[in-house]
Amino acid sequence: MTIVKPVSGPVVGQPIERLEDLRLLRGEGRYVDDIHLEGMLHGAVLRSPMAHGRILSVDATEARAMPGVHAVITAADLPGHDHPDGVPTIPIRLFPNPGMDPFRQPVLAAERVRYVGEPVAFVVADSPELAEDALDLIALDIEPLPAAVTSENRGEGQPALYEGQPSNRVWGYNAKLGDVEAAFNGAPYTRRERFYVHRHTGITMETRGVLSQWDPVAGTMTSWGAAKVPFQNRKMLAQLLGLDLEKVQMIEGDAGGSFGVRGEFFPEDFLVPFCARMLNRPVKWIEDRREHLLAISHARDVHCDIEIACERDGTIRGMRVRADVNIGAYIRTSTTITPRNVSMFVPGPYRIPNFASDVAMVVSNKSPTGTYRGPGRFESDFFRERLFDLVAGDLGIDRVEFRRHNLLRSDELPHPLPSTAPDPHDSELDSGDYGHMLDLCLAKFGWDEKKRLSGKRIDGRYHGIAVGCFIEGGAAGPAENVRMVLEDDGKVSVYTGSSAVGQGVKTILTQIAADAMELPMERLQLFHGSTTYVKEGFGSFHSRSTVMAGNAALIAASELRSQILAAASELMQAPVEQLRYEAGTVCSEAGATMELTALAGRGIAYEATFRNSKHTYTNGAHAVHIAVDAETGKIEIVDYVGIEDVGRKINPLTLHGQAVGSIVQGLGGALLEHFVYDGEGQMLSGTLADYLVPLATDFPNIRSQAVELHPSPFHPLGAKGAGEGGTIPVGGMLGNALADALADFGVQPRDLPLSPARVWHMVQQGRASAGRAGEG
Amino acid sequence: MGNRTVEFELNGEAVRVEVEPRTKLVDCIRHRLMRTGTHVGCEHGVCGACTVILDGESVLSCLMLAVQVEGRSVTTVEGLSPAEGLSPLQASFRKHHGLQCGFCTPGMITAAHALLTREPDADDDRIREAMSGNICRCTGYLSIVEAIREARAAYGGASSMPAGEVAAQ
Ligand code: FES
Ligand code: FES
């Protein structure tokens, strides 16, 4: 690999205003529904109204006869419906295993429906309204089956989803570090708790959409609306349509938010292009909000049994975790990540020498799950940090001291994470000073002054505070590609396979490339968003774009500079050793200079691949101060402080935006957002009036700060993936602050969310048992 | 069948368009008149992405029918954008990083413009309250409030930034 020096220059590290913003602010964004193609038709999906049932018949005769309708497809119309393997199913992108194949989702339900919202038929018509009207004409006959709704205790006693499968526990992961049995044997103190993190996810403001166009002459398929992982989705689509890879193109355009959920391969990512080819007309499908709430990847919904063994002085000897992840009806593209992370990340930044986890993936008649900001980590942090406050209380140790005592010290890094199986992907905590981050957070928060507010009732409201530490994994491999081309006008074009989903990737990569080429940002032009730009791309997930594409840009720039010197050496008739590249000019020892424009037409270009199997770990601490109205159960965030060490700040402006947005999303998850299902598996949160996301009035008091104390030792850029860390600790923080505030009532939250109704209920319970204690 | 012709003013231009009586204003603007800056986030009046200005008032164009704006004047984000570059309000959003994915942004700009036009001295609480009908899933709103606060000067309102945490540190 080319050796590259860390970049330092005038723009990296500066709060550069984003290049993306000009268009977006003027209303000139190009989101998928903004694209109109000549002769375009419109699709609509018929979804199962029932959580679980056997499909007896799908009769589309009347719908097909409706004027303006071009096609109605059901499972029976798909290739392979009469094949033993059945209709095409969605591949598993991350950590697939042949043992998961029976649980992959068919693109249209064939024999059974397994969740409300599961696609059963797809209509294509002249307009979206006509397509929707036609849905009403399809006669769907389903014999209802009892629904499985919970994953508790491996889903035991719940109706079975898959015939011939002994239980709804369809897969699982076990992780280990040290000898946990020995740690618990003879431990002077142990405690066991049961916690639950509810179902919620990363609703994006732009719903999903797909627009596909088939070119019958060239035999090529073009699909718009891709995001996050266009290259991987292209492979899946090519395979499902039976096309060669190079005959399929995915175009990204602007994407209205991802948070991990948008951009996975969903049934519609097959149905729309399939119909476009069949009808030889462009077909567009745009999800409506109700569909989005049912059809987007859901997340969380994890029950956890957690046990800890400590010395009397608070030293942790070991931890045991047994968790049940309710993965919904099918294993989809990224379903494996939450259970894997729950199996590995409960220890977080702490020294847990002995650890064992047993995490089950349990199917249910709810929407399938995937990754959402801080997958498995939000849950893990809630379980661990809640437990820590209970343990510190038992042992009579200050909760800050308990944490400080057990945090890994810098001289203990790198430190291995528990290794999970099957399909291990070992990782280690890279670098940092976790204790120092805790101190910074306490100081910024003003912990010592606020401590006296703990449990106090002021003007009718109870005050509580909490603090906790976290790590955030970033920079998932395997690789990322960046191609740089010196154009004839002396500009440098930069092409990347990373995706833009609102995180400002264009600006950040331009900053990095500009400094690496010692050119002003205006001399660079960045291209992304099409699978045609580089030979392979890996996308935007796991907080990876900055690190992966950033380092690839450094390598490409370094190679481009060598090529520039070599070409100049020929033209200037001077040996390369006597030339140097300086801010876009080649200078010779003899004093001659040459501008980049003089190198026009010499084919100076390089496509660099940055490979990395080592994750980065941004780390830090959060602290919160809340005030609770015991009569209404409403929690107000009086102050929230998040501090993180990101290794290297590329753009403090976008970084701060990610951090604050991430914290507020975490607060939404901890306090407001909840997919509520009834016992029949009907989702009761089908609109944004029921599924509550944070509004401008909800959380005005957020403070966030990033520092760059410990760059990643694993790559030249030194930056660590950031953007999810804000979300990860929030559930644990709020649970602990609520327990602190309502100590008088003996409230100890064990389940999320902490919605007003649930908090009020906890207060009532606390009052009742206090009353009983008083009587006795 | 039963189509109607509607005439109204869109961003200062007279337009005439044939629509079905059930066509929503937002669909008419986006898909018939091809001004795609106005977005649809929910179709049921909750998210504010479709906010446009109707005779000076901010309204949700997903809750109105195209036929209801006959003879009236509609302004969208395109109409609030100068021929080139950004208006002071837009520039303030850029400076404070008041947008990430940009999907909620046109609705934010129209709603904030309507607010500051009427109340150029709106304080933070008022800004938050007035913007609480516009959902942003990316920013956490801090930067949006800062952007609107600083843009007040351009509407003849208070311009000073209250002391507080600076956005980027
Ligand atoms: S689209 Fe009109 S309020 Fe959401
Ligand atoms: S910037 Fe993405 S929703 Fe507001």
Side-chain angles (χ1 to χ4, degrees):
Chain A
M1 189 170 73
T2 326
I3 304 299
V4 274
K5 285 205 303 286
V7 52
S8 71
V11 289
V12 165
Q14 294 304 310
I16 304 285
E17 293 183 6
R18 297 197 318 170
L19 304 168
E20 293 84 344
D21 291 353
L22 214 62
R23 283 183 314 109
L24 299 178
L25 279 160
R26 293 174 52 88
E28 292 164 1
R30 291 273 282 173
Y31 302 87
V32 58
D33 194 29
D34 299 339
I35 303 165
H36 293 85
L37 297 180
E38 198 50 41
M40 182 169 80
L41 301 172
H42 300 266
V45 182
L46 179 71
R47 296 179 186 277
S48 171
M50 231 174 260
H52 197 189
R54 216 180 307 281
I55 299 179
L56 301 177
S57 68
V58 189
D59 184 356
T61 322
E62 219 183 312
R64 287 192 175 110
M66 187 181 132
V69 168
H70 292 253
V72 180
I73 55 165
T74 67
D77 306 302
L78 291 174
H81 75 276
D82 45 4
H83 189 271
D85 289 347
V87 302
T89 57
I90 298 176
I92 294 166
R93 179 170 69 82
L94 295 165
F95 300 100
N97 189 298
M100 299 172 181
D101 286 348
F103 314 108
R104 282 165 51 172
Q105 178 169 9
V107 293
L108 286 173
E111 279 136 30
R112 270 211 204 188
V113 289
R114 293 190 174 88
Y115 66 97
V116 173
E118 179 168 2
V120 178
F122 189 70
V123 174
V124 182
D126 283 329
S127 74
E129 292 82 9
L130 285 175
E132 266 167 51
D133 292 348
L135 293 182
D136 294 338
L137 301 181
I138 303 175
L140 182 57
D141 193 3
I142 300 179
E143 175 200 339
L145 293 169
V149 289
T150 177
S151 64
E152 217 170 347
N153 297 323
R154 298 345 200 187
E156 254 170 52
Q158 295 280 307
L161 259 74
Y162 291 88
E163 254 159 59
Q165 294 294 332
S167 95
N168 284 341
R169 180 212 178 274
V170 296
W171 200 255
Y173 293 98
N174 288 83
K176 249 173 105 105
L177 193 72
D179 182 350
V180 83
E181 295 313 315
F184 275 81
N185 278 338
Y189 169 85
T190 63
R191 179 164 183 151
R192 184 175 178 161
E193 282 294 333
R194 243 183 116 61
F195 295 119
Y196 174 66
V197 174
H198 64 300
R199 187 170 270 250
H200 63 279
T201 198
I203 300 310
T204 56
M205 284 321 295
E206 182 200 11
T207 57
R208 293 180 304 129
V210 182
L211 166 62
S212 299
Q213 184 171 36
W214 172 247
D215 178 339
V217 180
T220 52
M221 178 64 69
T222 305
S223 247
W224 288 260
K228 185 180 177 183
V229 285
F231 286 84
Q232 287 84 342
N233 286 5
R234 174 197 193 201
K235 273 184 212 157
M236 294 182 191
L237 182 59
Q239 185 212 326
L240 290 172
L241 290 177
L243 293 172
D244 290 339
L245 193 56
E246 62 280 5
K247 299 285 187 191
V248 176
Q249 242 197 81
M250 308 291 255
I251 314 277
E252 226 184 284
D254 291 306
S258 166
F259 320 120
V261 297
R262 175 199 299 284
E264 294 292 346
F265 200 97
F266 292 91
E268 300 84 359
D269 291 275
F270 168 82
L271 297 171
V272 176
F274 177 80
C275 288
R277 181 172 65 177
M278 184 176 84
L279 298 167
N280 194 18
R281 294 270 295 267
V283 176
K284 183 197 264 187
W285 163 80
I286 303 292
E287 189 179 58
D288 71 26
R289 182 54 65 182
R290 183 178 155 73
E291 286 184 287
H292 180 82
L293 290 163
L294 287 167
I296 195 74
S297 303
H298 281 195
R300 321 285 195 232
D301 206 348
V302 182
H303 290 274
C304 180
D305 235 308
I306 182 168
E307 206 177 352
I308 189 167
C310 295
E311 307 293 351
R312 284 273 154 215
D313 71 353
T315 307
I316 299 171
R317 289 167 60 124
M319 280 170 92
R320 264 197 291 246
V321 165
R322 183 182 144 97
D324 298 312
V325 182
N326 186 331
I327 62 165
Y330 298 97
I331 303 181
R332 272 207 309 223
T333 48
S334 67
T335 307
T336 53
I337 297 306
T338 290
R340 288 180 66 89
N341 284 355
V342 170
S343 80
M344 294 170 71
F345 285 99
V346 169
Y350 300 95
R351 188 186 313 101
I352 318 285
N354 305 291
F355 178 80
S357 63
D358 175 3
V359 180
M361 287 166 62
V362 181
V363 288
S364 74
N365 295 113
K366 294 183 179 175
S367 296
T369 55
T371 47
Y372 166 46
R373 218 168 196 171
R377 302 163 193 268
F378 178 92
E379 298 89 316
S380 297
D381 275 38
F382 177 70
F383 305 146
R384 179 189 68 238
E385 296 291 330
R386 272 303 288 130
L387 182 65
F388 278 8
D389 268 19
L390 291 164
V391 170
D394 282 353
L395 295 173
I397 300 172
D398 177 74
R399 51 196 159 141
V400 175
E401 288 321 308
F402 180 82
R403 288 180 170 80
R404 204 193 310 275
H405 181 66
N406 287 297
L407 277 174
L408 288 161
R409 294 186 312 269
S410 348
D411 60 3
E412 293 172 281
L413 302 178
H415 178 85
L417 288 168
S419 173
T420 201
D423 308 312
H425 180 92
D426 291 344
S427 184
E428 53 185 24
L429 298 179
D430 49 357
S431 64
D433 186 343
Y434 302 159
H436 182 61
M437 295 307 290
L438 173 60
D439 290 337
L440 285 180
C441 180
L442 293 169
K444 187 171 174 109
F445 180 70
W447 181 266
D448 289 336
E449 301 90 77
K450 286 182 179 144
K451 220 159 48 179
R452 49 193 175 75
L453 297 173
S454 257
K456 285 258 160 57
R457 184 161 180 235
I458 303 164
D459 295 335
R461 292 189 309 168
Y462 293 85
H463 289 248
I465 58 172
V467 67
C469 306
F470 74 97
I471 49 166
E472 171 192 357
E480 193 52 87
N481 290 351
V482 164
R483 187 158 63 94
M484 277 200 195
V485 179
L486 177 63
E487 305 290 355
D488 290 355
D489 59 1
K491 283 193 174 168
V492 175
S493 300
V494 183
Y495 298 86
T496 170
S498 260
S499 302
V501 286
Q503 77 285 52
V505 100
K506 189 167 180 173
T507 309
I508 289 168
L509 288 180
T510 306
Q511 286 177 260
I512 294 170
D515 279 0
M517 291 305 297
E518 298 175 42
L519 291 172
M521 285 175 70
E522 306 77 65
R523 293 267 305 265
L524 286 103
Q525 37 199 15
L526 194 115
F527 300 92
H528 69 86
S530 166
T531 50
T532 54
Y533 287 152
V534 287
K535 54 181 183 281
E536 183 148 43
F538 297 88
S540 290
F541 56 93
H542 197 259
S543 300
R544 67 189 300 278
S545 321
T546 303
V547 176
M548 299 299 291
N551 278 297
L554 292 188
I555 299 170
S558 170
E559 179 62 29
L560 213 64
R561 291 168 63 145
S562 312
Q563 287 187 19
I564 287 169
L565 289 183
S569 151
E570 232 174 82
L571 289 174
M572 294 168 87
Q573 302 199 325
V576 171
E577 309 75 62
Q578 292 179 13
L579 297 178
R580 48 180 216 286
Y581 175 91
E582 219 171 71
T585 307
V586 179
C587 313
S588 79
E589 281 178 9
T593 61
M594 179 175 275
E595 296 304 315
L596 292 184
T597 39
L599 300 170
R602 302 191 68 93
I604 294 178
Y606 188 71
E607 180 160 343
T609 303
F610 176 67
R611 289 184 197 288
N612 180 30
S613 58
K614 299 205 169 187
H615 293 165
T616 60
Y617 288 94
T618 285
N619 54 83
H622 282 200
V624 67
H625 171 195
I626 61 168
V628 190
D629 184 333
E631 303 314 313
T632 61
K634 190 169 160 32
I635 296 177
E636 188 207 337
I637 308 294
V638 182
D639 190 14
Y640 197 107
V641 169
I643 308 255
E644 56 182 352
D645 183 354
V646 299
R648 183 88 187 274
K649 297 190 233 184
I650 309 297
N651 186 331
L653 191 62
T654 59
L655 182 67
H656 186 259
Q658 286 283 319
V660 171
S662 191
I663 290 172
V664 170
Q665 231 168 27
L667 288 168
L671 301 177
L672 307 168
E673 302 176 30
H674 190 185
F675 285 124
V676 181
Y677 280 82
D678 69 11
E680 264 86 64
Q682 285 293 338
M683 214 247 272
L684 307 179
S685 333
T687 73
L688 287 177
D690 313 297
Y691 185 93
L692 302 177
V693 298
L695 304 178
T697 36
D698 287 328
F699 307 117
N701 307 316
I702 312 287
R703 297 189 283 155
S704 166
Q705 186 180 355
V707 294
E708 36 189 0
L709 301 176
H710 295 270
S712 167
F714 297 141
H715 61 87
L717 195 59
K720 298 183 175 188
E724 304 184 66
T727 304
I728 292 168
V730 181
M733 289 302 96
L734 268 290
N736 284 339
L738 187 65
D740 190 48
L742 299 180
D744 278 2
F745 303 93
V747 165
Q748 291 294 355
R750 289 178 170 84
D751 299 347
L752 292 178
L754 304 172
S755 55
R758 296 162 61 105
V759 171
W760 181 84
H761 196 70
M762 283 188 264
V763 170
Q764 298 312 308
Q765 279 180 328
R767 277 193 174 134
S769 51
R772 276 196 303 277
E775 285 155 25
Chain B
M1 185 187 66
N3 281 1
R4 297 256 302 268
T5 304
V6 198
E7 290 182 49
F8 61 101
E9 199 182 280
L10 179 62
N11 299 327
E13 231 179 88
V15 293
R16 192 186 148 90
V17 59
E18 210 177 286
V19 292
E20 282 184 57
R22 68 168 171 177
T23 303
K24 290 174 176 177
L25 176 59
V26 67
D27 291 333
C28 169
I29 294 171
R30 286 180 49 77
H31 300 307
R32 302 300 310 283
L33 298 165
M34 301 300 180
R35 305 294 201 285
T36 55
T38 304
H39 294 159
V40 177
C42 71
E43 288 172 286
H44 51 246
V46 184
C47 77
C50 65
T51 307
V52 300
I53 300 170
L54 179 63
D55 297 330
E57 292 279 343
S58 74
V59 297
L60 300 173
S61 60
C62 74
L63 294 185
M64 293 195 75
L65 299 175
V67 293
Q68 286 176 286
V69 302
E70 174 71 44
R72 304 178 70 179
S73 159
V74 176
T75 307
T76 66
V77 67
E78 288 95 337
L80 296 178
S81 307
E84 260 176 53
L86 301 175
S87 72
L89 177 63
Q90 290 167 326
S92 188
F93 264 73
R94 187 177 186 210
K95 176 176 168 198
H96 292 278
H97 194 31
L99 65 156
Q100 289 180 25
C101 78
F103 195 77
C104 70
T105 310
M108 292 286 175
I109 295 292
T110 43
H113 177 81
L115 169 69
L116 294 184
T117 303
R118 282 184 176 223
E119 302 173 45
D121 288 314
D123 64 8
D124 277 16
D125 284 347
R126 175 66 189 130
I127 293 172
R128 285 192 179 265
E129 189 201 324
M131 300 304 291
S132 66
N134 290 71
I135 298 177
C136 175
R137 194 59 172 154
C138 301
T139 62
Y141 304 104
L142 223 60
S143 55
I144 291 178
V145 175
E146 279 165 4
I148 298 173
R149 184 203 300 142
E150 193 177 291
R152 292 181 304 183
Y155 292 83
S159 61
S160 66
M161 297 258 289
E165 203 99 1
V166 203
Q169 31 196 317

